[in-house]
Amino acid sequence: MQIHDNRLIAECTSYDFKEMLERKKVKSWLKSVSAFANTDGGSLFYGVNDEGEIVGLENVQADADFISEMIKARLDPVPEVQLIPIEHEGRTLLEVKVKAGVLTPYYYYQDGTRTAFVRVGNESVECNSQQLLSLVLKGTHMTWDSLPTQVDANKHSFIILANTFREQTHQEWNDKYLESFGLVTSDGKLTNAGLLFVDNCTVFQSRIFCTRWTGLYKDDAISSVEHRANLVLLLKYGMDFIKNYTMSGWVKMPNYRLNLPDYSDRAIFEGLVNHLIHRDYTVMGGEVHIDIYDDRVELVSPGAMLDGTQIQDRDIYNVPSIRRNPVIADMFTQLDYMEKRGSGLRKMRELTEKLPNFLPGKEPLYKTEASSFFTTFYNLNWGENGRIPVEEVAERVNSTLEKYPVNEEGSEKKFGVNGKSSVKRFGVNAERFGVKGEDASKRVSRTGQKIIDLVISDPSITAEAMSVKIGVSKRAVEKNIKELRERGILVHEGSDKAGYWRIIVKP
């Protein structure tokens, strides 16, 4: 908190200014105390008008005593509060500093009714049923996904989960994992998370709605499908739909083929994982939506930021990892679908930026509205006048040979865009690509080409994962990586165990 030109400048976003203490309308300010305690804490400044100008209080001690008395009488449980008098140029103001509580919800109590409040933006609003449930769970140090059900685990199977675990980790599955991962309780009951991973999942909220729209808006749909299944299958179904209804082109470089996809596959995968993990499953009738337009892919799920802030107002490189569903998140981590450190938003942006046809302004966009979270991926091959011809994309990434779009035949009918492109030949200056003499005509090996394709699909992929996907030894992969790096085609940015691969198009 700073004072400049007799005006209060609060450093935090969670604060309220009060010119005077309302003794007859205590709810007008006690609701802010309740809201601060139920969210991330905050401060009320008395003796400051709405413009931040310090007007002072006549009797700070009397006001402080009244505030303390009302908090004890009208709030249950009583939050931790500090009353701090502040002197400035002969005027005294009072800061009521409320600490974020651990015994949520903190209710305002009057005439036999109890009401809990939360902060939404710069306002203190009454909790809805979902917010109240979240506060109750927070106060008991539990989350919705960890709550036990009355469903016997021995009446359900986890074959899909077990097979996926083996495929992803190359380790054998053990049924003892069900309890250690938090899917089954010690007395053999499924938790809510367990219900979401069983083979015959019947949780109503476990759904995704997938739609491919004809243009840039929600007008006519080319295809629309609803999936209800366990979380492992929902992730697969969602990715399959996106891959079926998005396009990719490729361009012939002097000695290898370079894919130019509309989107980063791995970035969208990270986005869908985030929406399945962090959505609010207490919202009945809510589901994850996948909406594909000509120029973008939008993912929407119920549940805004847990701390009440707006993601569009935050620096995504400094957003702390707060998990609404830690059991579900841990299970996806065990499946190697996500990282523990909660870097999904940053990683989606970095994965997109590593594509050779990326342009500034095409970064993924994150937005929260009311009780929903939006992630938007922008088509890297789409411009103001529609789909960019493959020739223009190729020119932008310094390609000068034959240019062919994928899905050329029938793309206009299927996608509502003109995917046709002429096949043209351009002269090649091999030295321009850092290739001289005989190397200009030397094609990369078949394994090398597959490595290039994998790097475009997922720049964060490891050499070990490459060997599994390609079906060759790790030694063979490392040999080809070395050759690609020596030829100036492939570089690695970051440490050996983390970081991103990048295709060098322009030396």
Side-chain angles (χ1 to χ4, degrees), residues 285-470:
E287 58 275 323
V288 174
H289 284 258
I290 299 174
D291 293 301
I292 303 177
Y293 305 87
D294 287 352
D295 65 338
R296 66 196 187 279
V297 172
E298 288 185 354
L299 308 179
V300 188
S301 59
M305 297 284 284
L306 271 177
D307 59 8
T309 61
Q310 304 295 311
I311 188 60
Q312 56 266 34
D313 298 331
R314 302 288 297 272
D315 176 6
I316 64 166
Y317 290 91
N318 292 296
V319 176
S321 177
I322 304 176
R323 300 181 298 174
R324 177 180 276 112
N325 302 299
V327 179
I328 298 174
D330 286 344
M331 190 65 251
F332 270 72
T333 300
Q334 296 294 337
L335 294 173
D336 199 26
Y337 282 159
M338 64 174 289
E339 299 174 357
K340 286 186 177 181
R341 61 176 183 262
S343 57
L345 301 184
R346 171 183 58 79
K347 189 174 182 180
M348 281 181 254
R349 175 173 291 184
E350 292 176 348
L351 288 166
T352 301
E353 291 173 346
K354 293 297 181 287
L355 289 179
N357 53 333
F358 170 78
L359 279 176
K362 294 283 191 175
E363 302 88 354
L365 178 68
Y366 313 108
K367 183 177 66 173
T368 47
E369 287 184 359
S371 59
S372 297
F373 194 101
F374 296 76
T375 300
T376 302
F377 298 93
Y378 293 101
N379 190 333
L380 302 182
N381 297 320
W382 192 271
E384 295 181 357
N385 299 318
R387 177 166 287 278
I388 304 171
V390 176
E391 289 83 5
E392 291 185 23
V393 179
E395 190 68 28
R396 193 171 77 224
V397 295
N398 252 0
S399 175
T400 55
L401 280 182
E402 297 178 356
K403 302 158 176 68
Y404 300 96
V406 173
N407 295 327
E408 180 175 346
E409 183 178 357
S411 60
E412 184 173 4
K413 179 179 179 181
K414 181 177 181 180
F415 296 99
V417 297
N418 184 3
K420 296 181 180 180
S421 178
S422 59
V423 179
K424 300 176 65 177
R425 281 192 174 273
F426 295 82
V428 178
N429 179 356
E431 293 185 1
R432 193 176 161 198
F433 294 88
V435 183
K436 298 182 179 180
E438 296 179 357
D439 285 342
S441 60
K442 181 183 177 183
R443 300 281 298 173
V444 302
S445 68
R446 183 174 300 179
T447 298
Q449 181 62 62
K450 291 180 179 179
I451 290 174
I452 291 173
D453 294 342
L454 286 174
V455 167
I456 294 294
S457 177
D458 180 8
S460 64
I461 193 170
T462 64
E464 185 175 356
M466 288 181 189
S467 66
V468 173
K469 288 182 177 293
I470 297 174

Side-chain angles (χ1 to χ4, degrees), residues 91 164 201 208 230 240 276 284 296 299 307 314 330 339 440 457 473 497:
R91 295 185 176 92
T164 304
C201 174
I208 57 172
N230 64 43
D240 287 347
L276 290 173
M284 299 300 295
R296 66 196 187 279
L299 308 179
D307 59 8
R314 302 288 297 272
D330 286 344
E339 299 174 357
S457 177
S473 68
K497 295 183 178 180

